[in-house]
Amino acid sequence: MAELKSAREEIDRIDRELIALVADRMDAVRAIAELKGESPDVPLRDDRREREVLAAWSAAAEARGLSSYYVGRILRELLNYSRRVQEGLLDRPEVEPSTRVCRVGYQGVEGSYSDLALEKLYATRSGKLEKRGGYPTFRAVIGALERGELDYAFLPIENTIAGSLNEVYTLLAERTFPIVDEEIWPVEHCLIGLPGVTVDEIRTIRSHPVALQQCGRFLGTHAATTESVFDTAAAGEQVLAEGRRDVAAICSEETAIRLGLEVLARGVADETHNFTRFVLLGQEAEPVDARRPAKTSLLMTLNHRQGALAEVLGIFAARSINLTKLESRPEPRSPWEYRFYVDLDGNSADPRVAAALDEVRTHLNVLRILGTYPRRGSELDSLPVEAEPAPPSEVPKESLPAAPKSFADRLPRCARREGVERSEVRIGSVSIGGDRFVLIAGPCAVESRQQIVRAAGLVREAGGVVLRGGAFKPRSSPYSFQGLGFSGVELLAEAGRQFELPVVTEVLRSEDVERIAERADALQVGARNMQNFALLKTLGQTSRPVLLKRGMSATIQELLAAAEYIMSEGNQRVILCERGIRTFETSTRSTLDVSAVPVLKRLTHLPVIVDPSHAAGDRELVIPLARAAAAAGADGLIVEMHPNPREALCDKEQALSDGDLRRLVDEVRPIVRSLGRSF
Ligand code: PEP
Ligand code: MN
């Protein structure tokens, strides 16, 4: 026991050193901010420098036998923090000393998401935060701001799952307090209860109704009744006050820590990504330095005239101003008329934005600028593995001729049209078909938690951006391993979450589509199912992207007709995959049809990726085929790897080791870059 104690003391000592180092690093960051502040032409953010720092960290971490992914996450947070500190220093430091007291009101109790997000905002915003929580409603917070009891009001305005908070939008229209800042909080709902309790003992679960709604799937599988409470943190307080083993709350981990309660289950929300955006309303507008990324919010009502909205949107588009949100709400005094709330990227003091606003004003009955404020990215904006931008290409940008008319008549949805850009299809936050070449990798089959988590880490470190893994395996023999089924899908999703990788898995039957779509970011149709038209139609009714593999005896036209099946049902998010076809040649598992890549590119706007693993059937051949695919112009690769290839339960002959996967990336990258794309 004495050894344990001294080991812990050692950890405490190291942690204190870490904090001291973070403080020193922040001092250096501030010094740089001052230099930048004196030379207004130096951009605030230097992506190249950030990439170099990241590369240096990764190399140093690996040299010490540490995970470059986890160490990279620490760096990401440091960079986020540093960036905000630097931006904050640009804000009129002479006018607004950091000692100025800011009384900020919010609705809810201590530990609520509003409280947590407010702390986060003021970690780098100038002014000394004096929190005033406990207001029962949003209106009450605004009332206190009106009476001058507060300097600022902090209100949630939208959630990425539940949508806009209508009440707050109404308050923005009724009052004239400007938006002066925003904050984004990643919501991670946990089930919390008394220490030592297990999930099975819980009979009552309390939380805010929206939080309960966001955890429908978890609640559906537990025999507990739910009860609404006005605030998630208040639900936690009730659990503590009652002291009953069978009562739990859904709220943040921070609340559990603050109350001395225990996290019984994590990740209980239906969606992995759940963000709430808050706005800070002030007594008067606060100018934002031109070098800071900024947003502007508008309120407008239109002349009641045909095409008025289209004209207004056209004015922003013509000036390349990016709109990030358009919300319409009823105009209570004029039935069937609407007010529009618009958010755009840009500063209202920027001449380009100001000119656009002048022009749109002529089309509007009302235009109010609700505020210009610093744009706060969500943590997702800055994943640590950033691709290096491609060098300027020698290869001319492809011209875009249309597919032949006869083809476009037959398969109108997948046919490429004259002058229309190629489609990009997103799997989670990863875009396929754009400037960036993507690597999807993972084992043939999910075999165990340990195997898939290990694989996910290795994929991430090699530079993969999507995790693959089969849970329902279409095996040629009924006696071979058939996959873990739904529990495999769960394990895959869990591993993907842990390493921030979206996941793709195969679906064999129509009846499983909905359930797998709840967990997987993309659904794969295997070669053996390419013409299972019932399955294709069902997939056409989902909103998940579909990775459609070419059948081993299917022509390119048949592959595209299969894509058309999905698209004709409504789902336009199809990614095509060439994976080898059956020919008279027996020295490879299939024959990789490299020419399919340029042929498909000519006929369709859909992204095209290549699976060299199933084409080769032999790990030695995977890398050369991957190089060929990249050279032919594929948008990405899907390859099989295994933490321990010799023990793979499925397709072990073609499974790459992690070393092989890194080598593949090293060999493919220069080819991709020579074509003017990043990887
Ligand atoms: C797979 O990707 O796991 C697979 C079974 O591939 P295919 O359908 O191309 O044979
Ligand atoms: Mn396989």
Side-chain angles (χ1 to χ4, degrees), residues 443-445 468 470 473-474 506 524-529 549-550 552 577 579 589 611 614 638 640 651:
C444 180
R468 65 150 284 154
K473 294 303 303 177
E506 179 163 352
Q524 177 174 324
V525 176
R528 293 158 191 80
N529 255 328
K549 298 188 98 175
R550 179 178 179 184
M552 43 196 121
C577 179
R579 48 78 72 207
R589 185 175 172 179
D611 173 350
H614 289 89
I638 177 167
E640 290 189 347
D651 285 350

Side-chain angles (χ1 to χ4, degrees), residues 512-523:
D512 298 337
V513 165
E514 202 176 328
R515 200 164 152 202
I516 297 178
E518 282 178 0
R519 278 288 182 252
D521 301 283
L523 302 168

